[in-house]
């Protein structure tokens, strides 16, 4: 009966205790899993929220810019970069700037980057242009919104194109072929360019053919490629829809030769002389260590005069039976200038080889300065091996070593075998009294009047061992020119000819630079952060060989080099053109060539920088990548056209200036340049497009604006700054802007704002055709996600300003209105009015 009863209860749906325990355990595991997963769900939701808000903010900015007049969307003229992204995010620093926004509890930064672009007819791809190039009728708007989330920086990015509705189409074309004059072989990779519009060009293909579309106009074609002399064709006119073919070129190959030489490093102090014992007329045992500075900069030997100062340079000696001795030093001269000597001695003055020199620093073994000179460098016959170290304990740096042995006197060196360069000075009996170790001035020995700087890192051949001493000591009052140094094995050597390639110096510093174009060029050498250059070297005959002898590197720099050629539209080299690439500016030589310094990284190179010659316009090449210590390849060439500047004034009534009005200059209906009137109403059009000729100067107006006159037609001469006249603009727009807040917090959900010359009671009117056609003016806008608004209105009137803010209580909306009355807006002016609830 019990068994039957138990079976019946089970069939009725009951649970045993074991079943309940198992179910409880399973549910606990599931709940714990859900709890553990909640954090990841939350992170995912937050990430999606950040991405969604960022996309909305980017789209909002794109729409705002696209609603502006084409000419009032200003291209980026100065950039900055955000290194939180790889590659770094480049954005507008001026004139548009960036914004910091807080939406949905997340902090965002919104930036733009607006550039002129053109279409490549061959590839169909867009190409970026410099901000001061002629307007192409097409601008790219890039908007970046970045935020920090989950320990990482993230960004949303939107790009859009804005087209000038009056854009001139590329309705004409040039085509042709380029060959080698002698071999008649087709040449590839030759750039053929329209000189009057450098943005129109093409590279020849494998068959030597080129083709590019262009606007109608008058053009000079030029063909150029490295290794050949450039060539131009006669100027010709191309009309609407015309295709000019067979515009062919035959180029002459440049002759070349070879430049050889040796490159040396001068980046450290050297021990120039050591004397272990020399008895002066007073019977004193003199010894000294002389140092020479072959570099181009001044060395700080100590930061204070006297004993116990902060020593940046010290000397150490080692004897066969003793440890190294670092002496106490009494500094009497703080610095060591280029090309000069520095004298460390155990006495205040040294008299030897017919001269008396004051020591720049006096040393002592134990700091007991009153007991007479200490004998730190052991000499005699026989004497032990030894060495001298020149270096800095503070920076753990060794600048130079000099070691000598004593092979025949039966006294073994303790550490000297480790303290020399290459091979120690060979001695059979050690360092003798009256003996000197003097560094050579060059490979052949010591030449009077030259600096003791020959340093092949090999003691036994770098020094002259002389008994008795004949080379007088030198101190900081003595200066001599160094004509040697340390062989710069592995240094990069290159010329500015634009034809040859960089070579690497061998172990002895020798270089063989082949394929150098005929002419005379500066040769450069670079190793690490050290640079050097020669005077112009080369030859005029094909196959020349020029021995440049020695080239020294002693200038410390983090810069690289940019070189190239500057010509006029006829292909003639231009002399004295100012070129700037971010380093020191330079000028072209008589052959039109230039070489200038540029900081490592991406740079813009400008020819006729800041319109140095007002008869020509300034050209720039963007995105030139420079490597520290090297020459940039390929060269950056320029063709300058004659030009000037167009100036004028924009006003509302002939008295008051009108700012922010775009003004364009057109030649033959094609825009060549544009600008915006300043706060004083004045404008100046200049840059790459403003060459000599006849221009139509036109203000670009918004709907409802009118200009008197509508156009000025003027003829510009070379180097002229021509005042074209005054434009009087009526019906010009002004701006009302401000913030919308609840207490101190921005309203991010949008506020509807109306400006009207009338009044509004109650709800805002519907903006339909009847309202727009009425006598009362209405303008409307919605505030953005940052709680900011900007409303364009007709200038010269008073407006009443209304703002409607809607909040929700469950499903029920509630709208409240704020207002400002009699807001006066001047033409081209701006007024700020905030709303706070």
């Amino acid at each position: 009966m019990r068994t039957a009863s138990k079976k019946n209860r089970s069939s009725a749906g009951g649970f045993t205790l074991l079943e309940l325990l198992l179910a409880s355990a399973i549910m606990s595991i599931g709940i714990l899993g859900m709890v553990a997963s909640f954090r990841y769900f939350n992170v995912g939701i937050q990430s999606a929220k950040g991405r969604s808000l960022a996309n909305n903010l980017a789209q909002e900015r794109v729409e705002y810019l696209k609603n502006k007049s084409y000419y009032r969307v200003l291209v980026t003229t100065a950039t900055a970069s955000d290194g939180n992204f790889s590659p770094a995010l480049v954005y507008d620093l001026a004139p548009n700037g960036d914004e910091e926004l807080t939406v949905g509890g997340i902090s965002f930064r919104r930036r733009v980057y607006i550039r002129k672009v053109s279409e490549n007819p061959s590839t169909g791809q867009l190409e970026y242009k410099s901000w001061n190039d002629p307007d192409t009728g097409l601008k790219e708007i890039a908007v970046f919104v970045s935020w920090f989330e989950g320990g990482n920086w993230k960004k949303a990015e939107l790009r859009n194109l804005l087209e000038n509705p009056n854009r001139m189409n590329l309705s004409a074309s040039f085509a042709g072929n380029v060959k080698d004059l002698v071999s008649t072989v087709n040449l590839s990779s030759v750039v053929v360019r329209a000189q009057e519009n450098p943005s129109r060009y093409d590279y020849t293909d494998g068959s030597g053919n080129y083709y590019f579309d262009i606007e109608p106009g008058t053009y000079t074609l030029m063909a150029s490629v490295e290794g050949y002399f450039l060539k131009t064709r006669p100027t010709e006119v191309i009309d609407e829809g015309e295709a000019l073919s067979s515009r062919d070129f035959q180029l002459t190959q440049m002759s070349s030769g070879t430049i050889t030489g040796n490159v040396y490093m001068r980046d450290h102090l050297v021990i120039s002389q050591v004397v272990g014992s020399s008895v002066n007329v007073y019977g004193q045992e003199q010894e000294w260590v002389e140092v020479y500075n072959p570099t181009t900069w001044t060395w700080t030997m100590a930061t204070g005069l006297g004993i116990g100062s902060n020593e940046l340079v010290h000397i150490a000696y080692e004897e066969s039976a003793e440890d190294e001795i670092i002496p106490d030093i009494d500094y009497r001269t703080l610095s060591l200038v280029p090309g000069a000597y520095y004298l460390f001695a155990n006495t205040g003055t040294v008299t030897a080889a017919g001269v008396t020199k004051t020591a720049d620093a006096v040393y002592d073994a134990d700091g007991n300065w009153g007991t007479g000179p200490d004998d730190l460098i052991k000499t005699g016959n026989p004497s032990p091996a030894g060495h001298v170290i020149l270096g800095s304990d503070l920076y753990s740096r060794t600048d130079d070593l000099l070691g000598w042995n004593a092979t025949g006197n039966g006294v073994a060196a303790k550490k000297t075998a480790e303290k020399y360069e290459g091979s120690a000075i060979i001695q059979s009996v050690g360092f003798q009294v009256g003996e000197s170790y003097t560094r050579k001035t060059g490979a052949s020995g010591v030449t009077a009047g030259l600096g003791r700087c020959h340093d092949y890192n090999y003691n036994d051949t770098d020094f002259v061992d002389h008994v008795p001493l004949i080379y007088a000591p030198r101190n900081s009052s003595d200066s001599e020119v160094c004509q040697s140094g340390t062989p710069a094995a592995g240094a990069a050597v290159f010329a500015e000819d634009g034809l040859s390639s960089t070579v690497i110096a061998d172990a002895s510093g020798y270089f063989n630079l082949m394929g150098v174009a005929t002419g005379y060029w500066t040769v450069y050498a670079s190793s690490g952060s050290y640079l050097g250059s020669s005077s112009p070297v080369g030859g005029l005959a094909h196959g020349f060989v020029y021995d440049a002898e020695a080239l020294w590197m002693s200038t410390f720099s983090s810069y690289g080099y940019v070189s190239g050629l500057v010509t006029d539209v006829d292909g003639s080299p231009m002399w004295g053109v100012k070129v700037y690439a971010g380093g020191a500016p330079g000028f072209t030589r008589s052959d039109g060539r230039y070489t200038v310094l540029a900081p490592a990284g991406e740079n813009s190179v400008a020819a006729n920088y800041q319109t140095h010659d007002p008869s020509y316009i300034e050209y720039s090449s963007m995105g030139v990548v420079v490597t520290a210590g090297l020459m940039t390849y390929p060269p950056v060439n320029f063709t300058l056209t004659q030009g000037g500047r167009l100036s004028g004034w924009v006003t509302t009534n002939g008295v008051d200036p009108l700012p922010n009005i775009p003004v364009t200059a057109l030649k033959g209906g094609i825009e060549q340049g544009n600008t915006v009137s300043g706060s004083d109403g004045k404008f100046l059009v200049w840059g790459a497009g403003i060459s000599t000729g006849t221009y139509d100067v036109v203000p670009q107006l918004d709907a409802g604006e009118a200009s008197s006159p509508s156009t000025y037609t003027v003829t510009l001469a070379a180097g002229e700054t021509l005042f074209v006249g005054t434009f009087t603009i009526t019906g010009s727009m002004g701006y009302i802007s401000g913030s919308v807040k609840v207490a101190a917090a921005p309203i991010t959900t949008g506020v509807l704002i109306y400006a009207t010359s009338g009044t509004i009671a109650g709800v805002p009117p519907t903006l339909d055709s009847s309202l727009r056609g009425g006598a009362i003016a209405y303008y409307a806008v919605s505030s953005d996600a940052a709680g900011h608004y900007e409303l364009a209105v007709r200038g010269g009137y008073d407006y009443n300003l209304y703002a409607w803010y809607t909040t929700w209580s469950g499903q029920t909306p509630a709208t409240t209105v704020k207002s400002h009355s009699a807001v006066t807006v001047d033409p081209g002016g701006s007024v700020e009015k905030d709303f706070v609830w």
Side-chain angles (χ1 to χ4, degrees):
M1 291 293 294
R2 287 185 209 155
T3 303
S5 175
K6 184 184 293 185
K7 182 176 180 181
N8 290 338
R9 285 196 301 272
S10 177
S11 299
F15 295 97
T16 66
L17 179 60
L18 178 61
E19 288 171 331
L20 290 171
L21 290 173
L22 287 172
S24 177
I26 292 170
M27 290 177 66
S28 298
I29 293 171
I31 292 170
L32 288 172
M34 291 175 64
V35 171
S37 300
F38 179 78
R39 180 171 65 90
Y40 298 101
F41 294 149
N42 187 52
V43 169
I45 293 171
Q46 185 72 8
S47 178
K49 174 185 175 183
R51 176 67 59 181
S52 178
L53 290 173
N55 285 330
N56 290 339
L57 290 172
Q59 185 65 46
E60 179 184 82
R61 186 63 173 171
V62 167
E63 293 303 321
Y64 168 78
L65 290 170
K66 290 190 69 176
N67 285 330
K68 282 191 165 189
S69 163
Y70 175 84
Y71 288 101
R72 281 188 164 90
V73 177
L74 304 179
V75 297
T76 298
T77 58
T79 61
S81 60
D82 186 344
N84 292 315
F85 301 95
S86 181
L89 175 67
V90 179
Y91 61 92
D92 181 286
L93 192 62
N96 299 291
D98 60 357
E99 304 168 275
E100 292 186 3
L101 315 171
T102 301
V103 182
I106 303 175
S107 295
F108 296 94
R109 174 159 283 180
R110 185 164 62 184
R111 296 155 166 157
V112 300
Y113 192 15
I114 303 174
R115 289 183 280 183
K116 296 176 182 177
V117 295
S118 67
E119 300 158 294
N120 186 315
S122 302
T123 64
Q125 302 295 315
L126 294 177
E127 296 178 342
Y128 294 109
K129 301 299 177 183
S130 173
W131 66 269
N132 58 355
D133 279 346
D135 190 79
T136 60
L138 202 60
K139 296 174 183 175
E140 182 194 67
I141 299 171
V143 178
F144 313 102
V145 178
S146 59
W147 72 101
F148 193 74
E149 178 186 294
N152 297 298
W153 281 96
K154 298 187 177 183
K155 68 180 174 73
E157 177 178 331
L158 285 180
R159 294 178 184 268
N160 217 309
L161 292 177
L162 184 63
E163 185 176 15
N164 185 354
N166 299 318
R167 181 183 177 200
M168 177 67 71
N169 292 325
L170 307 179
S171 59
S173 65
F174 284 110
N177 177 268
V178 183
K179 298 183 185 296
D180 183 289
L181 176 64
V182 176
S183 67
T184 69
V185 171
N186 293 319
L187 297 178
S188 63
S189 302
V190 179
V191 60
V192 180
R193 189 183 305 272
Q195 297 298 81
E196 291 78 6
N197 189 349
S199 62
R200 305 302 178 208
Y201 64 91
D202 189 27
Y203 287 93
T204 56
D205 59 20
S207 300
N209 297 320
Y210 73 90
Y211 170 89
F212 60 89
D213 293 315
I214 197 167
E215 302 90 343
T218 303
Y219 299 104
T220 305
L221 299 185
M222 184 175 76
S224 63
V225 67
E226 293 307 314
Y228 286 82
F229 294 103
L230 57 83
K231 193 170 185 179
T232 60
R233 289 183 55 85
T235 301
E236 56 186 328
V237 177
I238 187 168
D239 295 324
E240 177 86 18
E242 189 173 10
L244 297 182
S245 59
S246 300
R247 269 46 187 178
D248 301 334
F249 293 87
Q250 291 182 318
L251 302 185
T252 303
Q253 189 170 16
M254 292 179 178
S255 298
S256 64
T258 300
I259 298 175
T260 63
N262 287 79
V263 58
Y264 299 98
M265 182 77 79
R266 294 176 178 170
D267 63 341
H268 63 280
L269 301 178
V270 295
I271 299 168
S272 53
Q273 190 180 59
V274 174
V275 173
S277 177
S278 174
V279 180
N280 63 18
V281 294
Y282 304 105
Q284 293 177 316
E285 288 283 347
Q286 305 170 128
E287 61 179 55
W288 66 87
V289 175
E290 176 192 284
V291 174
Y292 178 75
N293 179 12
T295 72
T296 57
W297 59 91
T298 297
W299 289 69
T300 300
M301 308 302 282
T303 57
L305 296 175
I307 304 168
S309 60
N310 181 15
E311 299 167 4
L312 300 182
V313 177
H314 77 262
I315 309 170
Y317 310 94
E318 181 210 343
E319 311 298 347
S320 60
E322 300 176 11
D323 290 329
E324 285 185 350
I325 301 170
I326 301 178
D328 297 301
I329 301 179
D330 178 6
Y331 283 94
R332 301 176 181 183
T333 303
L334 293 180
S335 58
L336 175 56
V337 300
Y341 295 86
Y342 197 92
L343 186 61
F344 293 89
N346 68 342
T347 63
T349 57
V350 172
T351 301
V355 302
T356 297
K357 295 293 180 181
T358 300
D360 294 297
V362 177
Y363 58 77
D364 183 89
D366 53 13
N368 186 4
W369 302 91
T371 60
D374 286 340
D375 182 15
L376 301 185
I377 304 176
K378 300 300 182 184
T379 56
N381 190 354
S383 64
H387 69 259
V388 175
I389 301 173
L390 176 64
S392 169
D393 277 341
L394 182 63
Y395 297 118
S396 301
R397 184 190 71 234
T398 297
D399 292 311
D400 201 14
L401 292 173
L402 173 60
W404 58 92
N405 58 26
T407 59
N409 62 9
V411 181
K414 182 179 180 183
K415 293 181 180 178
T416 299
E418 303 172 7
K419 300 294 176 70
Y420 54 80
E421 293 179 351
S423 178
I425 296 176
I426 297 174
Q427 289 279 27
S428 61
V429 295
F431 209 176
Q432 299 180 47
V433 173
E435 186 173 13
S436 65
Y437 299 145
T438 305
R439 185 179 292 277
K440 298 176 180 178
T441 57
S444 59
V446 180
T447 300
L450 296 181
R452 300 166 182 174
C453 60
H454 184 74
D455 186 15
Y456 272 49
N457 296 316
Y458 207 91
N459 287 167
D460 192 45
T461 57
D462 286 344
F463 285 84
V464 173
D465 177 6
H466 210 282
V467 182
L469 69 88
I470 60 172
Y471 300 111
R474 301 280 189 266
N475 66 5
S476 58
S477 65
D478 297 304
S479 180
E480 294 175 329
V481 176
C482 175
Q483 289 194 344
S484 184
T486 304
V493 183
F494 45 88
E496 61 177 347
D497 63 310
L499 179 61
S500 59
S501 299
T502 300
V503 297
I504 303 301
D506 65 17
S508 66
Y510 176 78
F511 66 88
N512 185 17
L513 189 60
M514 298 184 294
V516 181
T518 51
Y520 292 90
W521 318 101
T522 301
V523 176
Y524 297 85
S526 168
S527 180
S529 297
Y530 291 93
L531 306 175
S533 61
S534 72
S535 58
V537 294
L540 299 177
H542 179 66
F544 73 85
V545 177
Y546 188 99
D547 182 7
E549 299 180 353
L551 179 63
W552 298 281
M553 291 185 299
S554 57
T555 302
F556 183 84
S557 177
S558 59
Y559 286 78
Y561 294 93
V562 178
S563 67
L565 174 67
V566 180
T567 64
D568 61 19
V569 293
D570 296 323
S572 301
M574 295 187 64
W575 172 80
V577 177
K578 188 175 184 179
V579 183
Y580 179 72
F587 295 87
T588 57
R589 302 191 306 267
S590 59
D591 59 0
R593 295 275 177 177
Y594 73 88
T595 299
V596 292
L597 286 171
E602 189 171 300
N603 296 277
S604 293
V605 184
N608 199 29
Y609 180 60
Q610 295 179 335
T611 320
H612 179 260
D613 182 348
S615 296
Y616 290 86
I617 60 180
E618 176 183 332
Y619 280 97
S620 62
S621 181
M622 301 178 68
V624 178
V625 178
V626 177
T627 302
L630 295 180
M631 180 75 77
T632 298
Y633 188 86
V636 181
N637 300 328
F638 296 94
T639 299
L640 300 187
T641 56
Q642 287 187 311
R645 302 182 178 196
L646 300 167
S647 68
W649 192 47
V650 183
T651 176
T652 60
N653 51 19
V655 177
D656 299 321
L658 181 59
N660 303 317
I661 298 297
V663 179
T664 59
L666 300 94
K667 181 190 288 185
I670 302 171
E671 183 187 336
Q672 302 297 324
N674 63 78
T675 189
V676 177
S677 60
S679 59
D680 56 0
K682 295 179 181 178
F683 67 85
L684 183 66
V685 187
W686 64 282
I690 308 302
S691 57
T692 55
T694 301
Y695 288 89
D696 292 324
V697 183
V698 184
Q700 300 298 322
L701 308 177
D702 278 339
E705 294 179 336
S707 173
S708 177
S710 60
T711 305
Y712 279 107
T713 300
V714 295
T715 300
L716 181 66
E720 182 181 15
T721 298
L722 178 63
F723 183 82
V724 301
T726 298
F727 292 104
T728 300
I729 309 298
T730 56
S732 179
M733 305 297 283
Y735 296 90
I736 305 173
S737 62
S739 62
V740 290
K741 298 179 180 179
V742 173
I747 298 173
T748 60
T749 55
V751 171
L752 180 61
I753 298 168
Y754 268 62
T756 176
S757 56
T759 58
I760 300 175
V763 298
T766 302
L767 286 174
D768 54 21
S769 57
S770 62
L771 191 72
R772 295 191 186 97
I776 299 175
Y778 290 91
Y779 303 91
V781 73
S782 180
S783 64
D784 61 23
H788 180 268
Y789 75 92
E790 183 177 78
L791 185 59
V793 299
R794 189 74 57 215
Y797 297 91
D798 290 343
Y799 294 94
N800 295 315
L801 200 60
Y802 300 87
W804 289 268
Y805 173 42
T806 301
T807 57
W808 293 82
S809 177
Q811 300 295 318
T812 305
T815 301
T816 55
V817 62
K818 297 283 185 179
S819 64
H820 293 288
S821 60
V823 178
T824 302
V825 182
D826 295 326
S830 181
V831 178
E832 286 197 16
K833 290 294 180 181
D834 300 331
F835 292 95
V836 180
W837 278 264

